[in-house]
Amino acid sequence: MQFRKPTWRKSLVVGTAVCLSYLAFNTTDTLTTPAVAAGKTYTGTVYVAGHGGHFAQADVTLDPSNEAVPVKINNLDKLDIGTTKTHMTHDARIDANNRNILFWSTYKLDPQGKQHVGKSDLKTGKVIKDIAMDPDPRATGGDKKMPLYCASGQSKKFFMPVFMGVEAYVDVFDKATLEKKHRVFVSDLGYAKGSYQFLHGTNSPNQKTFLLVLNLTKEGKGTGDIDFVLVDMAALENGKFKEIKRATLKGAPGKTVSFREYFSNNGKLIYQSVGDRLWVIDAATLKLVDEKMAPEGSQIHDAMTTPDDKFALLTVRTLTDACDEEGKPIIKDGEKAQITDGTFMLYDASAKKLNNNTISTCFVCHKDAGLGDKNAVLCGLDANWKK
């Protein structure tokens, strides 16, 4: 695949016009930073998966002492892997062996009916390899609208994208060649078709275990109950599930829906996005440690801790007002039109506090590209933090 040079590049150090009501009620403008007491900050480059066939590439500073603007985007670019039609993605996974390689997988079939798994060079922006595959008849049943890959994990030698459709499975790909070695269905763990939806999962930091997370269903609808199953990594590398521990946490039917997750770097906690809330879970017992509700109009989709595990950066879908090219709200049927924007939020692990100020990662550039009335749908993230 030919790398397409980014068509936009934004530095958010200087002012950019956005809907006034958007700034006032839904998210914080990263450009109007109030004076605050200095504290420890974190800097790095965050890669956020989206539906536009690219990753938002955000150079960020996390400043927890700045209550109003805990996340500042210093520069915003994009990493292309394809187009909206061919490479809609939810999955960002930086290689633990080589932080210059990003693995990814696609969320929807392309126009030729293929699903994709690939990897990109973060230094050059080029796609290194792109594998197009026929969908598994057992998994999709010919349904082209069914969601495909969303989450993923890894071991030293293997990349493991997680298929969130039904029947759900984990694939095992050789990192070097992207040759598929195994496909392991969750039915092997006793989950019958129709009893669950939206499988996600990832590896523990020591890569000895893999966490599977499933939404339980009844009569085709989510019950709000979510199963957590910890399995052995060595067995998964060889195409089998070997269960270590299983637990169920309860949420709200139709609102609590599990998405992506991360272990803390010390392996002690699991940060689980579940749509209407964030769950912090003890990794050894799979019991709930903390629960924080998302702000009204927001849905949490991923959560990754800082290198010292003191904070977690969240990717969030936030409802906001649509704008025209002049930055004015778009009115339809006498009311302001709304779209979904991709945003960041920050969680303080020590204080067990979620900062409800959302920081936009998508809207500014989408609006300047004439897409102020279109959804900017993000999902998973990964990051290279600076020491």
Side-chain angles (χ1 to χ4, degrees):
M1 176 181 292
Q2 184 69 28
F3 172 64
R4 297 182 295 112
K5 185 178 181 180
T7 55
W8 49 262
R9 185 176 182 90
K10 280 287 177 184
S11 173
L12 301 188
V13 177
V14 295
T16 305
V18 293
C19 292
L20 293 178
S21 59
Y22 172 74
L23 291 179
F25 302 114
N26 289 308
T27 194
T28 300
D29 181 0
T30 61
L31 314 176
T32 55
T33 308
V36 294
K40 182 175 181 178
T41 61
Y42 306 82
T43 59
T45 302
V46 181
Y47 298 88
V48 184
H51 282 189
H54 62 257
F55 293 88
Q57 180 177 312
D59 294 329
V60 302
T61 298
L62 310 186
D63 184 359
S65 65
N66 189 333
E67 186 75 16
V69 189
V71 183
K72 182 179 179 181
I73 301 177
N74 304 306
N75 196 75
L76 187 60
D77 206 335
K78 70 184 176 109
L79 179 78
D80 289 306
I81 60 173
T83 69
T84 302
K85 292 183 179 180
T86 63
H87 286 73
M88 189 181 294
T89 182
H90 282 187
D91 182 30
R93 187 65 59 205
I94 296 175
D95 190 351
N97 306 326
N98 183 348
R99 303 299 298 184
N100 291 315
I101 294 178
L102 176 74
F103 289 96
W104 44 263
S105 56
T106 55
Y107 172 72
K108 288 290 185 182
L109 296 175
D110 69 16
Q112 284 70 47
K114 304 288 188 179
Q115 59 193 49
H116 294 255
V117 169
K119 58 180 178 178
S120 295
D121 187 323
L122 294 180
K123 283 188 173 181
T124 65
K126 292 182 179 180
V127 173
I128 300 170
K129 200 156 205 173
D130 183 350
I131 304 298
M133 301 173 290
D134 290 325
D136 193 313
R138 179 176 168 184
T140 64
D143 182 0
K144 293 184 178 181
K145 295 183 179 180
M146 180 174 287
L148 307 177
Y149 299 107
C150 182
S152 66
Q154 63 179 304
S155 63
K156 183 178 181 180
K157 294 183 179 179
F158 300 103
F159 169 56
M160 301 172 176
V162 179
F163 187 94
M164 68 183 296
V166 176
E167 296 182 30
Y169 58 77
V170 179
D171 273 340
V172 181
F173 284 87
D174 182 278
K175 281 184 173 180
T177 64
L178 281 188
E179 177 186 358
K180 182 170 71 69
K181 296 294 186 179
H182 305 288
R183 176 163 290 168
V184 194
F185 285 84
V186 295
S187 57
D188 292 352
L189 290 167
Y191 289 96
K193 185 177 181 179
S195 67
Y196 66 90
Q197 60 180 185
F198 305 151
L199 173 70
H200 292 79
T202 196
N203 60 281
S204 60
N206 63 11
Q207 300 181 355
K208 292 183 177 180
T209 58
F210 196 99
L211 178 70
L212 301 169
V213 186
L214 306 93
N215 297 276
L216 302 184
T217 61
K218 185 176 182 180
E219 298 178 351
K221 296 182 180 180
T223 63
D225 295 348
I226 297 176
D227 268 11
F228 292 79
V229 185
L230 200 63
V231 299
D232 179 72
M233 177 66 85
L236 181 55
E237 288 180 318
N238 287 288
K240 297 183 182 298
F241 284 136
K242 179 182 177 182
E243 183 174 332
I244 298 171
K245 192 173 187 62
R246 186 182 304 209
T248 304
L249 294 180
K250 295 183 176 294
K255 295 182 178 180
T256 307
V257 181
S258 70
F259 297 112
R260 285 173 52 111
E261 61 284 300
Y262 269 93
F263 284 79
S264 58
N265 294 292
N266 62 15
K268 295 181 178 180
L269 297 173
I270 299 164
Y271 286 80
Q272 178 68 55
S273 63
V274 279
D276 70 333
R277 65 196 75 188
L278 171 70
W279 278 342
V280 184
I281 301 163
D282 186 291
T285 64
L286 299 182
K287 292 183 178 180
L288 192 64
V289 173
D290 192 24
E291 178 181 66
K292 289 292 179 288
M293 303 304 296
E296 186 70 25
S298 295
Q299 189 180 62
I300 301 172
H301 278 259
D302 207 354
M304 178 185 188
T305 60
T306 53
D308 58 7
D309 290 330
K310 291 185 178 180
F311 300 90
L313 182 65
L314 281 55
T315 50
V316 185
R317 298 180 188 176
T318 302
L319 284 178
T320 187
D321 295 336
C323 292
D324 60 22
E325 293 182 1
E326 297 179 353
K328 297 179 181 179
I330 296 173
I331 306 299
K332 290 184 178 180
D333 300 324
E335 296 184 356
K336 292 180 180 179
Q338 287 198 312
I339 61 169
T340 298
D341 183 25
T343 65
F344 286 138
M345 292 177 65
L346 195 65
Y347 172 81
D348 185 330
S350 299
K352 293 185 177 180
K353 178 182 178 182
L354 180 64
N355 187 322
N356 284 347
N357 288 321
T358 55
I359 309 301
S360 176
T361 65
C362 300
F363 188 84
V364 171
C365 290
H366 275 234
K367 183 190 72 63
D368 285 356
L371 301 174
D373 60 343
K374 305 295 182 183
N375 289 321
V377 181
L378 56 59
C379 191
L381 83 157
D382 207 340
N384 278 326
W385 300 105
K386 295 178 181 179
K387 295 182 180 180

